[in-house]
Amino acid sequence: PRIGVQPIGGRLVGPHHVAQPHVVEADDPERLVHLRFDERESGLANPIARAAVGYVFARTGDPDIGVRYARRALRQLDSESSYLLLATRVAAVACAAGDDALARDVIEVLTPWAEHVSVDGNGWWCDGPVSLWLAHLHDLRGEPAVARRFLNHGEALARRMNDLRSLRRATALGARLPTEAQNPSVTVDLTPRELVVLEMLATGATNPTIARNLAYSLSTVRNETISIYRKLGVTGRPEAVSRALALGLVKSAT
């Protein structure tokens, strides 16, 4: 990953909406240490900058501080804050810090956008397919089958975009995840949106609740549910949840 940063008061803060940001390669945490600073920097009023600094702390050995910055950034999430870019930057912090609770919270934010690409409000900064970030988050939470489904979708989208940076991430993640050939019981080809609905079915959520939480129409939820039942070869919700658990498509049910 790379972090776009802007010098503020002699120090680097970022990313900001600037035409020519500095770019820092983040593969080596040692090169990020000089970017560590605290809330007194005025640039951190920008929630994306706060998430970026949270990532720096998480990568350089202070995950608790990184998660604190990321949670503050997530609380600032709104339609005016480059919504998907901010959410995927928080996802990067969750993955770098290995924080399951933060991963769970940002999964709730990102899942309705699984088929989209994360960009800032001006279209200057691209963070890749949302489904690829969901794959990373589900991998962190110990849900390899779900992660593989999101990975397949995200990799295909990145390939269509010729997004080489996302393709490198997809390749690295794919090397860690079991393939369907290694886990032949996983044969159900659910779309990212169907996976999201299935996860909510497993929580016991009603169709109106699913529609409200995911900003879908009731007819969309019904159509997705019918498709899920057909692909799983079941006739109702209890069977669908039971089969999803057996296949590793969901981690638990209530």
Side-chain angles (χ1 to χ4, degrees), residues 67 70-71 74 87 90-111 133-143 199 251:
V67 169
R71 286 204 170 278
L74 195 60
V90 173
V93 178
C95 293
D99 192 281
D100 182 82
L102 181 59
R104 182 189 62 238
D105 291 345
V106 77
I107 282 172
E108 291 184 7
V109 172
L110 287 176
T111 44
W133 285 106
L134 285 165
H136 282 291
L137 293 165
H138 283 286
D139 176 49
L140 169 62
R141 301 206 68 216
E143 300 166 344
E199 288 176 346
K251 191 173 183 178

Side-chain angles (χ1 to χ4, degrees), residues 3-240:
I3 301 175
V5 293
Q6 176 188 16
I8 293 183
R11 310 176 85 168
L12 294 177
V13 181
H16 286 268
H17 294 320
V18 293
Q20 295 181 325
H22 295 269
V23 174
V24 177
E25 295 291 341
D27 291 331
D28 182 2
E30 299 254 337
R31 300 174 65 183
L32 300 179
V33 172
H34 70 289
L35 299 178
R36 293 166 52 131
F37 45 85
D38 59 35
E39 301 283 352
R40 289 172 293 183
E41 290 286 351
S42 60
L44 293 184
N46 180 321
I48 297 177
R50 190 173 315 222
V53 173
Y55 178 80
V56 169
F57 275 98
R59 284 297 308 274
T60 56
D62 283 296
D64 291 342
I65 297 175
V67 169
R68 190 188 70 201
Y69 275 90
R71 286 204 170 278
R72 288 198 62 184
L74 195 60
R75 286 196 293 270
Q76 294 176 271
L77 188 68
D78 58 44
S79 60
E80 301 301 319
S81 61
S82 296
Y83 189 94
L84 288 182
L85 179 63
L86 176 53
T88 54
R89 286 297 81 213
V90 173
V93 178
C95 293
D99 192 281
D100 182 82
L102 181 59
R104 182 189 62 238
D105 291 345
V106 77
I107 282 172
E108 291 184 7
V109 172
L110 287 176
T111 44
W113 303 92
E115 300 185 22
H116 291 71
V117 175
S118 171
V119 295
D120 71 14
N122 296 311
W124 293 345
W125 183 281
C126 177
D127 215 11
V130 171
S131 50
L132 181 54
W133 285 106
L134 285 165
H136 282 291
L137 293 165
H138 283 286
D139 176 49
L140 169 62
R141 301 206 68 216
E143 300 166 344
V146 179
R148 171 61 67 178
R149 299 295 181 187
F150 282 116
L151 173 62
N152 290 346
H153 182 271
E155 186 172 20
L157 182 55
R159 202 171 300 283
R160 290 199 300 272
M161 297 165 53
N162 196 31
D163 181 352
L164 299 182
R165 186 159 56 104
S166 292
L167 285 172
R168 287 194 294 270
R169 286 174 41 225
T171 299
L173 177 58
R176 299 200 307 270
L177 292 175
T179 65
E180 292 186 358
Q182 293 169 318
N183 187 2
S185 64
V186 182
T187 58
V188 182
D189 187 21
L190 297 179
T191 68
R193 188 157 69 177
E194 287 168 348
L195 278 171
V196 172
V197 173
L198 178 59
E199 288 176 346
M200 295 205 68
L201 290 175
T203 69
T206 64
N207 281 5
T209 299
I210 295 173
R212 182 171 61 253
N213 289 351
L214 300 181
Y216 295 164
S217 68
L218 269 175
S219 62
T220 295
V221 174
R222 283 194 294 269
N223 290 338
E224 296 298 322
T225 301
I226 291 170
S227 179
I228 290 167
Y229 292 170
R230 177 178 56 79
K231 291 181 178 181
L232 291 176
V234 300
T235 59
R237 180 178 297 208
E239 287 180 279

